Amino acid sequence: MEKKIAVLGTGANGSCVAADLTNAGLDVVLIDQTPIGRTTRSNPASYIGAFDAIRRQFAGVPLAKERGYTAGTFSFNAGTGRCPTCGGNGFEHVEMQFLSDVYLRCPDCDGKRYRAEVLDVRLEGKSIADVLDMTVGEARAFFGGRPDIDAALRPLAEVGLDYLKLGQPVPTLSGGEAQRLKLAGFLNVASRSPVRPRANDDGSPGKLFLFDEPTTGLHFDDVAMLLQLFQRLVACGHSIVVIEHNLEVIKCADWIVDLGPEAGDEGGEVVAVGTPEQIAKIANSHTGQFLRAILGSAGRWPAVRGSLPRTP
């Protein structure tokens, strides 16, 4: 099966299209805007796999070795290094009977999650709590000389999440941020293997990524960045199906399945199938009408800031 970036219009038959693609033996991965989890212990650093390398760096500090600290000591999920009062949460949960629950900063660790003696260990003047309070961009600059940490954090910056703090609880992320964090996790795995042609040399079909309205709430520059990430996944041998209405995404597709012709009960039928240029010539396709305007009267492929051409 030739791997393509496909765009589906929303409608009753969307699941049928996905089912046909899965018959090729692909592992299907759904990346949507649902929350990643409810535990406040999960954060971008741990989700992306960078926190393990960071803890190992602190365990290698002379003071940590002198005290017999290991990487586990710098975990706030378990071990003896976390604050015994809040259990490493950094706050105390107070249940209210008639009002919303209240979260109070831990009086012992002041929200830093660790015992005071663990915070004595400094890496270039910063404690483990200071590092968790850094943004992704600040942490990349701080750990610039440590390739393993920078490589783990790089996908977060590539999906536009370099403003997040490493220790920010995952449940506080917006739906769009959660979706991009999931994408960063897969990019982190993909970066560990060499980029290969779209047709995998080893015969493996790669993965099928399903994106449900990934541009919701994104700025135009973020949409352009998302298109580049799509192209990277395809270059690594994966396939992508996107349910989307954003024309900047639709016009960059290799193949479009336009569902309609209208919304709700008056939709759900396959109106047109083909490349963006072919869809633009379909008279009864609402998507085609807008594509004609954005592609130009001659059907030429315009240069769009930040976006990449379609897969050859």
Side-chain angles (χ1 to χ4, degrees), residues 27-156:
D27 292 331
V28 180
V29 179
L30 174 63
I31 300 183
D32 56 12
Q33 297 193 6
T34 57
I36 295 176
R38 295 184 177 180
T39 173
T40 57
R41 297 180 183 275
S42 179
N43 56 54
S46 61
Y47 185 86
I48 205 67
F51 197 39
D52 291 340
I54 292 174
R55 290 190 291 114
R56 287 194 295 268
Q57 287 291 329
F58 276 92
V61 173
L63 180 59
K65 292 182 178 179
E66 179 183 332
R67 295 182 177 181
Y69 292 168
T70 64
T73 307
F74 296 93
S75 171
F76 52 76
N77 290 320
T80 59
R82 63 179 179 174
C83 172
T85 303
C86 64
N89 283 316
F91 57 84
E92 293 180 313
H93 180 200
V94 180
E95 295 185 0
M96 306 294 288
Q97 187 172 2
F98 299 107
L99 302 174
S100 299
D101 292 350
V102 176
Y103 295 89
L104 302 177
R105 186 184 297 269
C106 176
D108 288 347
C109 68
D110 195 29
K112 295 182 178 179
R113 302 188 176 199
Y114 294 93
R115 294 177 181 268
E117 54 269 28
V118 174
L119 298 179
D120 290 338
V121 179
R122 300 271 171 168
L123 181 66
E124 298 182 11
K126 300 293 184 181
S127 69
I128 184 71
D130 294 332
V131 170
L132 288 174
D133 198 46
M134 293 179 179
T135 65
V136 173
E138 292 170 346
R140 290 192 68 195
F142 182 75
F143 292 108
R146 298 170 176 86
D148 54 339
I149 298 177
D150 184 69
L153 295 176
R154 187 182 304 117
L156 290 173

Side-chain angles (χ1 to χ4, degrees), residues 219-251:
H219 187 270
F220 291 117
D221 289 339
D222 293 328
V223 173
M225 181 182 300
L226 183 67
L227 290 172
Q228 294 181 8
L229 297 176
F230 284 171
Q231 196 70 29
R232 280 190 55 188
L233 287 174
V234 173
C236 290
H238 303 297
S239 300
I240 300 177
V241 174
V242 185
I243 303 172
E244 188 56 82
H245 294 90
N246 189 303
L247 285 174
E248 292 298 321
V249 177
I250 294 176
K251 74 183 185 65

